[in-house]
Amino acid sequence: MAEILDAAWSLARSNGLLSFSLRDLATKVGMQAPSLYQYFASKDDIYDAMFRQGAVECLAEVGVDAAAPDRREAFRQSARRMFDFATSDPVRAQLLFQRTIPGFEPSAESYAPAVEMVEGMRALVAAHGITDPDAMDLWTAMIGGLVAQQLSNDPGGSRWARLVDRTVDMFLAEMDPDHDEAPQRKGQTR
Amino acid sequence: MAEILDAAWSLARSNGLLSFSLRDLATKVGMQAPSLYQYFASKDDIYDAMFRQGAVECLAEVGVDAAAPDRREAFRQSARRMFDFATSDPVRAQLLFQRTIPGFEPSAESYAPAVEMVEGMRALVAAHGITDPDAMDLWTAMIGGLVAQQLSNDPGGSRWARLVDRTVDMFLAEMDPDHDEAPQRKGQTR
DNA sequence: GTCTATATTTGGATAGAC
DNA sequence: GTCTATCCAAATATAGAC
């Protein structure tokens, strides 16, 4: 079952998330297509398992410790981790964030880790005294925007990766202009 | 031919960009499927014509006059127009900006207006004395990020539309902190 | 649990008559 | 230029033997 999932990821990465077939998938794990139905009820059920797996990975890799002392560093770290997670596997990002598969909707259980991620970000924002009600929406738009540009216009490169820290600084300056001591910039350290 | 294109847009909006069939399309214009091949060489050829049409519309609706006197207003206007264009037709946005159709790549001719759009934005940036080499990349990430969030998390709403002007102000403050006189905000006028 | 065989559907595209 | 008829390919999914 884990083997089937691994093979599904592999095929999705080479053939495309929508284009891989159950026949190919079965062949890859040394089965015939109908045998897959012992493990998954449908192709969408496979997508759901993949989604869940990706969401769990996201939670594990991107989790932020809201207790970090330095605010700027905490937000930069959160942004970088999310950016790196999303851009390191375009197919996974397409499944988790782009949601372009015709009939598929993730089940509530599979979606749960994503909800937890949002809660984590909300906690980070609150822990550092940011009260702006639009903070979360601005944050998701900015980080998601960087990710999308990187994936579609410079896959594998760093054209937008270079701008992550700078974008975080813009965000913090906007949230709380008074407490924002001048960041050291030009020359993101990555 | 224009009628076929109109019908294709209509079907794409209701059935999905990938999911509409040539049979349905032909039926919609009172033909049989093979007759479509008198007008288009393949389904991808139809996508290409749709892409071109969308790109031309984008150029027409979003075109910015770089000569606008007020800088902030010029950039806000540019951002709003692009945001409104993209969010007003999700299927068109998917075709033009998301590019999620398996085999399809727009032809050079169809893509030309998009190139011209980028040039227009570059001219706007230059005309207002912005020399930061990352200005364009930051701009596309921010505006694109707002659009993507609006489309996927609040389609038809204004949760991120409200944040467009504010985001433009952040951008301008970052580009040129000295010349950036305090914007009047809280209460985007739309 | 895995297989063979096949149902079922659907799609894009072509041949050739009219 | 439009049609009927059909090809061809591919996909998900099911039935039923072993």
Side-chain angles (χ1 to χ4, degrees), chain A residues 98 100 132 134 137-138 140-142 145-146 149 159-160 162-163 166-167 170 174-175 185-186, chain B residues 98 100 132 134 137-138 140-142 145-146 149 159-160 162-163 166-167 170 174-175 185-186:
Chain A
Q98 211 165 342
T100 180
D132 191 312
D134 292 325
D137 286 349
L138 271 174
T140 56
M142 295 177 84
L146 291 167
Q149 293 296 318
R159 189 165 148 197
W160 279 271
R162 287 189 315 111
L163 304 177
R166 187 175 180 182
T167 301
M170 292 173 63
E174 174 69 17
M175 283 304 109
R185 202 212 308 126
K186 309 286 183 183
Chain B
Q98 211 165 343
T100 181
D132 191 312
D134 292 325
D137 286 350
L138 271 175
T140 55
M142 295 177 86
L146 292 167
Q149 293 296 319
R159 188 164 147 197
W160 279 269
R162 287 188 315 110
L163 304 177
R166 187 175 181 183
T167 301
M170 292 172 63
E174 175 70 16
M175 282 304 108
R185 201 213 309 128
K186 309 287 182 183

Side-chain angles (χ1 to χ4, degrees), chain B residues 8-189:
Chain B
W9 281 113
S10 170
L11 279 177
R13 289 195 191 94
S14 55
N15 296 6
L17 194 53
L18 293 125
S19 308
F20 80 89
S21 73
L22 298 188
R23 283 171 171 73
D24 288 352
L25 176 55
T27 299
K28 184 140 192 164
V29 296
M31 282 179 174
Q32 294 299 315
S35 302
L36 293 175
Y37 287 83
Q38 291 288 330
Y39 304 93
F40 297 97
S42 66
K43 195 180 184 184
D44 274 1
D45 198 30
I46 297 178
Y47 284 134
D48 195 63
M50 293 170 78
F51 187 99
R52 164 184 260 142
Q53 194 174 356
V56 168
E57 287 168 3
C58 186
L59 192 57
E61 291 182 30
V62 183
V64 187
D65 59 295
D70 184 81
R71 183 172 68 163
R72 186 177 312 282
E73 203 41 55
F75 278 86
R76 282 183 175 182
Q77 187 182 85
S78 173
R80 287 177 185 178
R81 283 185 180 168
M82 187 60 185
F83 184 93
D84 291 344
F85 174 82
T87 55
S88 66
D89 189 338
V91 165
R92 185 178 58 185
Q94 187 191 353
L95 177 63
L96 288 178
F97 306 122
Q98 211 165 343
R99 304 278 284 285
T100 181
I101 296 169
F104 171 68
E105 286 284 323
S107 64
E109 309 91 87
S110 297
Y111 196 74
V115 175
E116 201 174 333
M117 282 241 20
V118 174
E119 289 314 310
M121 190 62 214
R122 202 180 301 281
L124 179 67
V125 165
H128 287 91
I130 295 175
T131 57
D132 191 312
D134 292 325
M136 292 284 296
D137 286 350
L138 271 175
W139 178 265
T140 55
M142 295 177 86
I143 307 301
L146 292 167
V147 167
Q149 293 296 319
Q150 184 63 57
L151 281 174
S152 62
N153 295 326
D154 184 36
S158 62
R159 188 164 147 197
W160 279 269
R162 287 188 315 110
L163 304 177
V164 172
D165 280 2
R166 187 175 181 183
T167 301
V168 171
D169 293 341
M170 292 172 63
F171 170 80
L172 289 177
E174 175 70 16
M175 282 304 108
D176 182 68
D178 300 331
H179 290 77
D180 192 61
E181 70 279 9
Q184 56 263 48
R185 201 213 309 128
K186 309 287 182 183
Q188 178 175 335
T189 55

